């Protein structure tokens, strides 16, 4: 008995600050859709399915997002599709549900790491996953929520003009994904090197709730940065300061700001800064807004440094970088 499982994932994308810093977002979507059926999702014993990527039609958007608030605030909707054929009992035991879960996992990673190639372009909201099972003359359809991957990367781009550092650029999606192919296992197993630890830290910058106002972006960005630049436990801040400039260019505009970034993180970690209740209700309290502003500012700077550093690894086609200090004449 042949059983075919088709998984369709519809993802709404927010309009972001991307176009204020780079090119047209339509061009980005065309570049991504140009890779349709050229990317592959691996399922069972190296059996795989091509991933079809396209813009959702108006009819599909109306059908699946008719009552969702995402439709009001989003302009773009993507559709991802895989198809898997079960041909024996062993494969069926592998799991009809597993095919959908693996497809969802791949699409999550794809949307997250597209933000390395096109910083801030992909800020998604809650979507929908549709699994269609066809066997003999019967069809079964299951629907589930595809989680949002909300992030503030596009807002962090505003700091590039303010601080003139680090250098952030657009990369080719195809070239970036080819580089990521070498590290794809790190997303499902333990990382093997520095860059894979940094990539996993980057994944924590994406949230399934808009209410997440914790300083976690600051913490995980610095985890990723230190994974790339720090050896041992000696002078962590100094290692990052020196090595990041060797990789990304010299900081001339804001030396004090970089020091403030680490002091801010340290005060948080050691309980010297007020930590806002996770479930607090937003209000217009001036002190509260000032505190949040400082948190976001430091978090966004750390996010930029992490993205710029990973981009540099991609451009140099490196997994790890070795640094050495030279005595001047």
């Amino acid at each position: 008995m042949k059983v075919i499982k088709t998984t369709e994932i519809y993802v709404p994308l927010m309009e972001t600050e991307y176009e204020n810093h780079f090119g047209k977002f339509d061009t980005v979507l065309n570049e991504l859709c140009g890779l349709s059926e050229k990317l592959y999702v691996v399922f069972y014993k190296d059996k795989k399915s091509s991933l079809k990527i396209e813009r959702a039609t108006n009819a599909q958007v109306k059908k699946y997002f008719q009552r969702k608030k995402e439709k009001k605030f989003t302009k773009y909707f993507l559709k991802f599709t895989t198809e898997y054929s079960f041909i024996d009992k062993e494969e069926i035991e592998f799991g009809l549900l597993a095919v959908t879960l693996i497809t969802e996992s791949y699409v999550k990673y794809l949307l997250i790491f597209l933000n390395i190639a096109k910083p801030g372009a992909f800020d998604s909201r809650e979507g929908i996953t549709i699994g269609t099972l066809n066997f003999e003359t019967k069809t079964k359809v299951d629907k589930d929520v595809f989680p949002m991957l909300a992030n503030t990367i596009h807002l962090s781009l505003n700091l590039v003009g303010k601080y003139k550092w680090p250098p952030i650029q657009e990369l080719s999606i195809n070239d970036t994904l080819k580089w990521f192919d070498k590290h794809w296992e790190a997303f499902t197993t333990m990382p093997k090197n520095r860059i894979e630890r940094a990539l996993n830290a980057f994944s924590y910058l994406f949230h399934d709730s808009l209410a997440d106002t914790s300083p976690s972006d600051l913490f995980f960005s610095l985890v990723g940065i230190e994974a790339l630049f720090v050896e041992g436990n000696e002078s962590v801040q100094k290692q990052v300061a020196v090595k990041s400039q060797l990789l990304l260019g010299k900081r001339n505009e804001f030396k004090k700001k970089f020091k403030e970034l680490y002091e801010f993180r340290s005060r948080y970690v050691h309980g010297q800064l007020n930590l806002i209740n996770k479930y607090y209700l937003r209000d217009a309290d001036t002190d509260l807004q000032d505190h949040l502003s400082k948190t976001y500012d430091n978090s966004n700077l750390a996010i930029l440094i992490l993205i710029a550093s990973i981009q540099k690894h991609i451009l140099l086609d490196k997994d790890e970088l070795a640094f050495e200090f030279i005595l001047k004449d």
Side-chain angles (χ1 to χ4, degrees):
M1 178 179 68
K2 186 176 181 179
V3 179
I4 299 175
K5 179 68 177 286
T6 302
T7 302
E8 299 173 308
I9 300 175
Y10 294 88
V11 179
L13 299 173
M14 296 292 291
E15 291 188 79
T16 72
E17 298 287 327
Y18 177 84
E19 290 190 348
N20 294 334
H21 302 275
F22 299 110
K24 292 291 185 181
F25 187 57
D26 272 321
T27 304
V28 173
L29 291 185
N30 290 339
E31 185 179 349
L32 176 60
C33 292
L35 297 177
S36 179
E37 299 185 277
K38 296 177 183 178
L39 304 177
Y40 293 89
V41 181
V42 179
F43 293 111
Y44 178 70
K45 291 184 176 180
D46 294 328
K47 188 173 180 180
K48 57 189 178 182
S49 165
S50 61
L51 180 69
K52 188 174 183 180
I53 309 171
E54 57 192 327
R55 300 188 194 212
T57 65
N58 290 334
Q60 289 166 338
V61 172
K62 184 177 180 180
K63 180 179 180 180
Y64 297 121
F65 297 92
Q66 186 173 10
R67 297 182 179 179
K68 289 182 176 288
K69 61 182 179 181
E70 284 82 2
K71 184 179 177 182
K72 181 178 180 180
F73 298 106
T74 52
K75 183 178 179 180
Y76 306 97
F77 292 79
L78 285 175
K79 177 186 177 185
F80 301 88
T81 308
T82 61
E83 185 176 284
Y84 186 94
S85 297
F86 296 87
I87 58 176
D88 57 43
K89 183 179 179 181
E90 184 181 4
E91 282 189 90
I92 294 176
E93 289 177 350
F94 156 68
L96 299 174
L97 178 60
V99 170
T100 295
L101 294 177
I102 292 171
T103 301
E104 286 184 323
S105 181
Y106 185 96
V107 172
K108 287 177 192 175
Y109 294 141
L110 181 62
L111 289 170
I112 287 172
F113 293 111
L114 282 171
N115 281 288
I116 297 292
K118 309 294 181 183
F122 293 89
D123 181 17
S124 68
R125 292 298 179 264
E126 187 177 280
I128 185 170
T129 299
I130 300 173
T132 304
L133 193 62
N134 292 292
F135 53 99
E136 296 179 343
T137 59
K138 299 179 181 179
T139 299
K140 181 181 179 182
V141 178
D142 293 313
K143 296 181 182 179
D144 201 357
V145 171
F146 183 79
M148 70 169 66
L149 295 168
N151 64 86
T152 62
I153 294 172
H154 65 104
L155 298 176
S156 70
L157 294 174
N158 294 323
L159 294 183
V160 175
K162 181 178 180 181
Y163 296 129
K164 313 299 182 185
W165 191 90
I168 298 291
Q169 57 190 302
E170 288 187 287
L171 304 181
S172 158
I173 292 178
N174 187 42
D175 292 345
T176 300
L177 293 180
K178 284 182 179 178
W179 182 86
F180 274 124
D181 276 344
K182 298 185 296 182
H183 305 287
W184 203 263
E185 286 187 3
F187 310 144
T188 55
T189 60
M190 292 294 289
K192 301 185 296 293
N193 51 42
R194 293 173 179 272
I195 190 64
E196 291 181 358
R197 292 199 295 273
L199 292 173
N200 283 348
F202 182 75
S203 73
Y204 282 89
L205 305 182
F206 296 80
H207 309 284
D208 58 9
S209 170
L210 296 176
D212 190 348
T213 56
S214 73
S216 63
D217 284 0
L218 173 62
F219 299 154
F220 282 110
S221 293
L222 286 173
V223 167
I225 291 167
E226 291 174 8
L228 296 175
F229 294 119
V230 175
E231 293 185 24
N233 299 316
E234 297 296 326
S235 304
V236 170
Q237 180 180 335
K238 185 175 181 180
Q239 286 192 61
V240 173
V242 173
K243 294 177 183 178
S244 63
Q245 290 183 89
L246 289 173
L247 182 65
L248 303 174
K250 192 172 183 179
R251 296 190 312 272
N252 294 316
E253 303 290 333
F254 68 112
K255 294 181 180 180
K256 289 183 179 180
K257 181 61 185 176
F258 188 83
K259 183 179 179 181
E260 177 189 321
L261 171 64
Y262 263 88
E263 289 178 347
F264 194 81
R265 193 273 297 266
S266 178
R267 292 179 67 195
Y268 249 129
V269 170
H270 296 291
Q272 296 173 6
L273 281 180
N274 290 326
L275 187 63
I276 298 171
N277 188 284
K278 182 177 180 179
Y279 303 104
Y280 88 101
L281 294 176
R282 294 176 180 269
D283 58 30
D285 182 88
T286 303
D287 291 338
L288 179 61
Q289 295 305 319
D290 182 61
H291 178 79
L292 287 175
S293 178
K294 289 180 180 178
T295 301
Y296 291 144
D297 195 47
N298 283 287
S299 296
N300 288 336
L301 176 57
I303 289 171
L304 288 178
I305 297 172
L306 178 58
I307 291 175
S309 300
I310 295 174
Q311 284 188 337
K312 202 69 173 180
H313 280 71
I314 295 171
L315 291 169
L316 295 172
D317 193 22
K318 296 288 187 180
D319 298 335
E320 295 193 16
L321 297 175
F323 295 88
E324 63 179 359
F325 298 94
I326 300 175
L327 182 64
K328 291 184 177 180
D329 294 334

